[in-house]
Structures are given as structure tokens and as C-alpha cells.
Amino acid sequence: MSESVPSSAIDLVAPAAVRDPHAAFKMLRALAPIVWLERHKAWIVVDFDLVRAGLTDERLSTDTITPLYERLSPEQRAQYADAETLLRGWMIFNDEPTHSLLRQPVRSAFTPGAVAQLSEEIAELTDRTLGSLPERFDFVRDVAFPLPAGVIALLLGVDAGRVNDLGEWSKQLGALVMGKVSRPDAWGRALAAAQEMQSYFGQLVERYRKEPVDNLIGRLITASGEGQEQALTPEQIIGACSLLLFGGHETTTSLLTTSIYHICLNNDLRNVSTAAEADVAAFVEEILRYDGPSKIFVRRVREDLEWHGVRMTANQPVYFAVAAANRDGAAFDGPDRLVPDRTPNRHLGFGWGAHFCLGAQLARLEARIIIPRVLRAFPNITLDCDREELTWHPTIVGRTIRSLPVRSGGMGESPSAPYK
Ligand code: HEM
């Protein structure tokens, strides 16, 4: 570590920092734009321009699987073999040129047109879900968790009877991705979930090869036919499906939950229910900036280097604190205020550079459809607990409320009213 660079003993998964990461980031920002975290043995970058620079710097790798693998015992490595193959095939954990080879075919199959086609089905799914809710419910368990799983099922052509499995698999996979080896129960469940998921997606790929369909898997199979330039192997298609599930589920759950949480805290935001589409869109972008699902993106130093005045050593992790960058006063006026119609809003909630979120349009579409519908169905929705009782998942990378008890306050418009 360079001597002139400050370090901090802060623990980013301690309860206070999980509850209010922005206070923690503020403290770090007061120290320096790049700080060494003693507790995590990692660098953290909190400055907007530096976070953007880091996310496009090829000297920093997204391969965080290798360091995890190196920590495993021979026995754990043997248990982890299949899951490792799966995760190594995820574009997010690959640098160029492999990253582009894995991303391009999925990008071509995941077109804006294909996403827009899902609008009506998302609206119908939302209405069905909202229509069956009691007066008091948990917004996470009953709305924000099942809906994105249902949408990914539509995207991939997953059988209706397996949608609950999707939610469960994506939840369990977290332990693998975060490398929670020290929690054998979670680790074991994650390995089992990965196996079950691989087997199911394998059957689905086989089925859609025999009976061609126009869904994302079908388009990937067609694009990977003989002689095609953007071919993926069946294993890579399975890998892509599992990444879309993992990348698109908890993040969207978080965006929907946080949106309703802030609306419950601030009555002025309730007019999102009747706002024009552009205003709903601006509100969603502001939630992504102000309190979005992404907290930190992790990169790994490939070789010793001098990075913006700091000497970094090969294999050190670098935490790009996107949540801090999104509240950098040099990039946003009044960064700690939630301004629902903020324009422009150059937030980094979907990342930046080559790994920019592939599902951003889908996530936006879901939020723009679902949030106004919730508010029109339940105009008086309120928190059904003391705000202080809420807790967030204790992870370094993301920000997700565990459970959001609400009271619907009685039905408003029929949830089947058209969205406009
Ligand atoms: C609000 C919801 C979402 C948020 C906040 C979000 C955020 C992100 C971020 C920040 C990244 C880049 C991570 C990095 O650079 O390390 C990313 C990548 C990715 N996201 Fe999302 N995401 C969301 C929803 C989705 C959805 C719905 C899907 C697909 C169904 C999806 C699929 C992906 C994929 C495949 C990547 C990897 C891209 C690559 O490595 O080239 N995401 N997402």
C-alpha cells in the first residue's frame, strides 16, 4: 500500500453500514477518493469519475472466481467443480476477448423489441399478483420477489410450474457467487441449487432445440446453429440462462421494494401512480441513483500497477462504490436529496463500460409498469412496521431490504385498469 493513502477500519457488512451505507461512504469520501479497507483487505473507490474510469480499465479484471477458487480446500474444490464451470462461463466474470464472445449472442437475442414484447404479459402478471393480496402483506415476499422471477420465466420460456424454483435457485446461488464457503449450510444448498438449475435449463435447451420457439433460449439456439458467427455451446446457453436469472432477479426485487419503501416514507412521491410515462421513468432512474440495488462492483488487480496515484498489488480486490459515486456532489446537484424528476441523471446504477447491465431495459420496463400499478391498486399503501425495524441483506455488493411489511389501505382502482 502507498504510504500516503489513507486506510480505514470500517466494516461494510457491520449492521450500521448495512443499514446506512451512505453514511459509511461519506466518512470514506472525507478521507480520500481511494481508501484501503483494513477489514476487507481491499481498495475502495468512491469518486464518480474514478469509478467510471475503473469500470473501463482493462488492467482490472472482473474475474473474482479465481481468488475464490484458490481459497477452497481440495475437498471443496471437488464439490465445487460443476458450479465453477457454470460461473466461469458467466460473461460478468470474464474479461476481453472472452467476455464479448459470450455477451454478443445474448445481446443480439435480448433486443429492445424482444423486451418490449413482454409489456402486456408483465402487466397481466402484476394484476394477477396484486389482485390476490390480503390487507396486510410482505411486499418483498408477495410482490417484489415473485414478479421478477415470473418475468424471467416468460423471457426464457420456463414452465409455469417451475417459476417458484427460479426464485429459490437465484436466492441460493448468492452463496456461491459471494463465496460463502465458511457457511457450509448455505454453500451446500447453493451447490444443490446450481445442479438442479443446470439440469432444468439443460432440458429446456434440449426441448427448444427440438421444438423451435421465439423466446430468448430459442433465439440463442438459432443463433448458435452450424456455421453461425455468434455461436454458443449448449453449456454456454445454460450459463447465460443462469446468469440472466441471477443478475435479473434480486436486483429487480430490490428496485421495486426500495421504490415502494421511499413512496411509503414520502407522500409527495405517490403521484407516480398517475404520472406521465416520462415522469415514472425519471422517478425509477432517481431511485436507481439515490438508493439503487447496486452498492459496490468488485474488480481484481491483474498485475502490480500505479492507479491514480495509488500503488496496487496483483490480485488485490478493488471495490468500486457505485452507490457512493451516485451521490458524489461533483456529479449531481444536491446528491443526498431524492429528486423524482431529476434530469439529467447520469447514475451508474446499471454499471458502465463493457459490462453495462444487459437487462437494464427489462428492469426499467418492469419498474415502470409495476410501481404505478401497485399505487393505483393501493393508493394508501403504508409501512406496517416501524421504519427502524426494517433490515437489509448484509452483503458488500448489493442493497436489498429483506422484508417490507405493508398495509394496502384498501383497494383503489381495479388492478386490471389499463396502464397509461
Ligand atoms: C434493477 C435491476 C438491475 C440492476 C440494478 C442491475 C445492475 C447491473 C450491474 C451494475 C451490472 C454490471 C456489474 C459490473 O460491472 O460488475 C449488471 C450486469 C448484468 N446484468 Fe443487470 N441489473 C439489473 C437487472 C438485470 C436484469 C433484469 C437482467 C436480465 C434478465 C440483468 C442481466 C445482467 C447481465 C447478463 C449482466 C452482465 C453483463 C456483462 O458482464 O457484460 N440485469 N447488472
Side-chain angles (χ1 to χ4, degrees):
M1 175 181 45
S2 313
E3 276 168 22
S4 57
V5 176
S7 69
S8 164
I10 199 163
D11 178 355
L12 293 175
V13 284
V18 169
R19 162 163 287 279
D20 187 0
H22 299 292
F25 292 143
K26 222 174 232 176
M27 254 170 51
L28 292 169
R29 194 192 304 285
L31 287 176
I34 308 176
V35 176
W36 175 253
L37 299 178
E38 279 301 339
R39 168 76 179 65
H40 301 280
K41 302 281 175 263
W43 297 102
I44 188 161
V45 181
V46 293
D47 174 277
F48 182 89
D49 286 334
L50 288 183
V51 168
R52 276 210 312 197
L55 295 179
T56 50
D57 193 327
E58 295 198 353
R59 295 171 300 168
L60 303 169
S61 170
T62 60
D63 172 14
T64 48
I65 298 299
T66 301
L68 160 65
Y69 186 76
E70 283 165 0
R71 286 198 338 250
L72 300 181
S73 66
E75 194 195 356
Q76 286 169 327
R77 285 185 191 184
Q79 293 168 340
Y80 180 61
D82 286 348
E84 190 210 348
T85 311
L86 182 81
L87 297 186
R88 283 202 187 275
W90 284 10
M91 64 186 90
I92 187 73
F93 295 133
N94 281 277
D95 301 318
E96 300 309 336
T98 311
H99 168 255
S100 285
L101 293 175
L102 294 168
R103 180 173 167 115
Q104 280 317 323
V106 184
R107 205 172 82 104
S108 308
F110 203 179
T111 57
V115 170
Q117 265 175 24
L118 295 171
S119 304
E120 254 177 51
E121 285 170 293
I122 296 174
E124 281 166 19
L125 195 62
T126 309
D127 292 346
R128 272 205 305 280
T129 306
L130 299 180
S132 64
L133 292 171
E135 153 73 10
R136 304 170 79 168
F137 58 95
D138 175 0
F139 186 79
V140 176
R141 182 194 60 209
D142 299 329
V143 181
F145 184 82
L147 279 179
V151 172
I152 294 167
L154 291 170
L155 181 76
L156 300 176
V158 166
D159 305 284
R162 301 303 296 259
V163 178
N164 290 342
D165 290 337
L166 286 192
E168 205 43 44
W169 293 333
S170 72
K171 199 158 77 181
Q172 306 294 0
L173 275 183
L176 270 189
V177 178
M178 309 299 166
K180 288 192 180 159
V181 204
S182 55
R183 294 215 10 229
D185 51 336
W187 177 252
R189 280 199 305 274
L191 288 174
Q195 244 172 17
E196 217 184 306
M197 184 188 62
Q198 275 170 293
S199 152
Y200 177 69
F201 282 141
Q203 291 164 26
L204 217 52
V205 170
E206 212 27 58
R207 188 198 312 163
Y208 292 142
R209 186 184 304 288
K210 290 189 188 133
E211 310 158 12
V213 282
D214 182 26
N215 60 29
L216 199 133
I217 295 185
R219 286 192 291 277
L220 285 177
I221 293 172
T222 310
S224 303
E226 232 169 88
Q228 301 287 338
E229 261 176 40
Q230 300 198 329
L232 290 181
T233 64
E235 289 70 31
Q236 286 171 332
I237 297 180
I238 295 169
C241 293
S242 58
L243 170 60
L244 292 173
L245 171 61
F246 184 74
H249 189 213
E250 183 174 319
T251 46
T252 312
T253 298
S254 166
L255 175 61
L256 297 174
T257 307
T258 309
S259 301
I260 296 300
Y261 166 68
H262 285 292
I263 288 167
C264 286
L265 295 185
N266 184 349
N267 276 330
D268 292 349
L269 300 176
R270 286 182 194 267
N271 60 10
V272 166
S273 62
T274 50
E277 275 181 52
D279 296 331
V280 177
F283 168 75
V284 170
E285 296 309 304
E286 178 65 346
I287 292 290
L288 283 157
R289 181 197 73 82
Y290 178 79
D291 200 9
S294 312
K295 202 159 59 177
I296 281 173
F297 310 150
V298 184
R299 299 292 189 259
R300 188 170 57 86
V301 177
R302 281 173 191 253
E303 288 173 9
D304 293 4
L305 84 159
E306 174 94 14
W307 201 79
H308 297 273
V310 174
R311 261 184 290 126
M312 296 183 173
T313 310
N315 288 321
Q316 282 179 333
V318 187
Y319 293 174
F320 287 100
V322 68
N326 281 340
R327 292 218 190 175
D328 183 340
F332 300 96
D333 286 339
D336 294 321
R337 267 184 299 122
L338 195 167
V339 181
D341 57 354
R342 185 183 288 275
T343 35
N345 193 340
R346 311 180 291 148
H347 70 80
L348 303 176
F350 286 120
W352 183 256
H355 291 276
F356 183 83
C357 176
L358 208 49
Q361 289 315 324
L362 178 58
R364 286 177 163 133
L365 182 73
E366 289 184 58
R368 291 172 191 174
I369 292 177
I370 296 168
I371 295 164
R373 288 181 111 79
V374 170
L375 290 174
R376 288 211 306 274
F378 309 125
N380 302 315
I381 189 168
T382 51
L383 284 187
D384 193 17
C385 67
D386 191 339
R387 180 184 173 180
E388 300 307 315
E389 289 170 37
L390 295 175
T391 56
W392 280 255
H393 286 290
T395 74
I396 290 180
V397 294
R399 177 151 170 85
T400 314
I401 298 176
R402 288 181 203 253
S403 156
L404 189 73
V406 288
R407 272 176 187 269
S408 69
M411 285 294 262
E413 259 178 54
S414 151
S416 60
Y419 171 65
K420 265 275 172 246

